[in-house]
Amino acid sequence: MSAHLPDDRDPVREALIAWYENDHRDFPWRRTDDPYRILVSEVMSQQTQLSRVEEAYADFLDRWPAAEDLAAAERGEVVSFWSNHSLGYNNRAKYLHEAATQVRDEYDGEFPTEPDELRELMGVGPYTANAVASFAFDNGDAVVDTNVKRVLHRAFGVPDDDAEFEGAASALMPEGESRVWNNAIMELGGVACGQSPRCDEAGCPWRRWCRAYETGDFTAPDVPEQPSFEGSRRQFRGKIVRALGNHDELTLGELGPRIRVDYSPDGDGEGSEDWLRGLVGDLAEDGLVEVTDDEDGTTVQLRR
């Protein structure tokens, strides 16, 4: 498999950012650019469900609202808090306490702003350093986590190789917009392109470019087995897009048999004209097709 990034990437970027800004999960760490608070959220979120992180995050900041407060605390207190909130991997609490102490003692209370400098903090690896740089200072590189790998593999055929993922992620990210871009692409992987994809339900903004949506093959580095797809609305929507890709336009009567061999326009339920109109209507609402009704009937064409 080789990557197939679009030559014109601006529409891809604009679609994703618009989707994210229109409606995304409202986590408290997305409402701040304080590097300390973002570091706390990133460390807590490592291998921990976000539903558990939200409550712990609020309690942690109530107790230690700034880096100097955490640095002044006893390490045992921090570890005890971590354990009592079932956050797991107590070493992360020790590292977070040490990082706050470094900020106080080595950086005069000011967080470093560059990813390479942030990596000097205890327990801060490349991913976390880049995330803090992106979300606090808007000067990070493209973030590549499991969600992002899954999205890039499915949408653009990026091979399962770290260097390939990093290259593709960097090529797609608009220059100087790491904060919104990294939030958006991780949200896409978390909401629409999870292990069981929710392309239509979540209104994925990349459906018109996505190889997985076109082919129905939603395997990914962390999804070794094909999720259920046969007979789903997602499958038939993909068939409509592929059929229209080979024609300037098609009437409903021409389109129906191309996507379902037992198409029966006068029937009821699946395979009927009403069923087909529903699929086409969904695609039109998503901006993927244009539907025209006139005296000769209904025609459908891809939106170019």
Side-chain angles (χ1 to χ4, degrees):
M1 177 184 287
S2 59
H4 293 276
L5 300 182
D7 292 331
D8 184 3
R9 293 166 194 169
D10 285 342
V12 175
R13 295 164 175 153
E14 291 163 4
L16 177 58
I17 291 173
W19 173 83
Y20 174 76
E21 292 184 335
N22 180 60
D23 182 26
H24 61 260
R25 293 173 294 178
D26 185 28
F27 296 121
W29 46 86
R30 286 182 173 168
R31 300 183 224 125
T32 183
D33 60 4
D34 182 330
Y36 168 69
R37 291 176 175 238
I38 291 169
L39 177 61
V40 170
S41 73
E42 289 294 331
V43 174
M44 283 188 175
S45 299
Q46 294 167 11
Q47 299 180 337
T48 305
Q49 291 180 342
L50 294 183
S51 58
R52 289 218 314 272
V53 171
E54 283 194 88
E55 181 180 351
Y57 175 83
D59 291 348
F60 192 96
L61 294 178
D62 282 344
R63 191 161 181 176
W64 301 295
E68 55 265 32
D69 300 310
L70 182 60
E74 294 291 333
R75 181 169 297 181
E77 288 182 74
V78 183
V79 173
S80 177
F81 175 97
W82 210 264
S83 178
N84 290 340
H85 283 74
S86 302
L87 290 169
Y89 301 98
N90 289 344
N91 278 341
R92 288 184 292 166
K94 297 178 183 178
Y95 295 151
L96 189 55
H97 180 265
E98 179 61 29
T101 304
Q102 285 178 268
V103 169
R104 182 192 65 186
D105 296 345
E106 300 175 23
Y107 294 92
D108 297 324
E110 298 290 333
F111 267 77
T113 61
E114 300 295 328
D116 287 347
E117 295 176 319
L118 285 160
R119 288 187 63 180
E120 296 299 317
L121 299 179
M122 180 65 71
V124 176
Y127 170 82
T128 302
N130 194 37
V132 174
S134 294
F135 304 140
F137 306 111
D138 203 16
N139 68 343
D141 299 319
V143 165
V144 179
D145 68 354
T146 300
N147 282 335
V148 173
K149 289 179 180 181
R150 188 187 315 118
V151 168
L152 295 178
H153 184 84
R154 285 175 172 167
F156 305 117
V158 178
D160 185 8
D161 175 85
D162 286 347
E164 293 277 358
F165 282 126
E166 289 170 7
S170 296
L172 281 171
M173 188 179 79
E175 186 175 356
E177 296 187 49
S178 62
R179 177 182 290 133
V180 66
W181 178 262
N182 285 327
N183 267 320
I185 196 169
M186 288 194 295
E187 183 79 347
L188 186 66
V191 170
C193 198
Q195 291 191 342
S196 296
R198 300 177 59 251
C199 316
D200 298 334
E201 301 93 320
C204 174
W206 280 1
R207 281 169 292 183
R208 70 184 68 179
W209 298 284
C210 181
R211 290 163 59 89
Y213 191 77
E214 179 182 355
T215 64
D217 180 4
F218 285 87
T219 53
D222 63 332
V223 187
E225 295 183 3
Q226 176 62 35
S228 177
F229 181 73
E230 189 66 29
S232 66
R233 286 178 68 84
R234 188 169 68 248
Q235 180 189 36
F236 287 110
R237 285 174 51 120
K239 287 184 175 183
I240 291 172
V241 171
R242 291 195 297 276
L244 292 173
N246 297 322
H247 301 272
D248 290 336
E249 64 179 30
L250 291 170
T251 66
L252 288 181
E254 294 168 333
L255 180 60
R258 284 176 166 82
I259 69 165
R260 188 160 178 148
V261 294
D262 60 348
Y263 177 69
S264 176
D266 298 325
D268 295 321
E270 290 192 2
S272 67
E273 183 176 304
D274 286 343
W275 168 82
L276 179 58
R277 283 185 181 275
L279 292 172
V280 168
D282 288 347
L283 290 168
E285 287 182 7
D286 291 336
L288 297 175
V289 304
E290 294 180 358
V291 182
T292 305
D293 290 303
D294 57 31
E295 59 185 15
D296 295 324
T298 300
T299 57
V300 188
Q301 61 182 10
L302 280 181
R303 186 181 293 276
R304 302 295 184 182

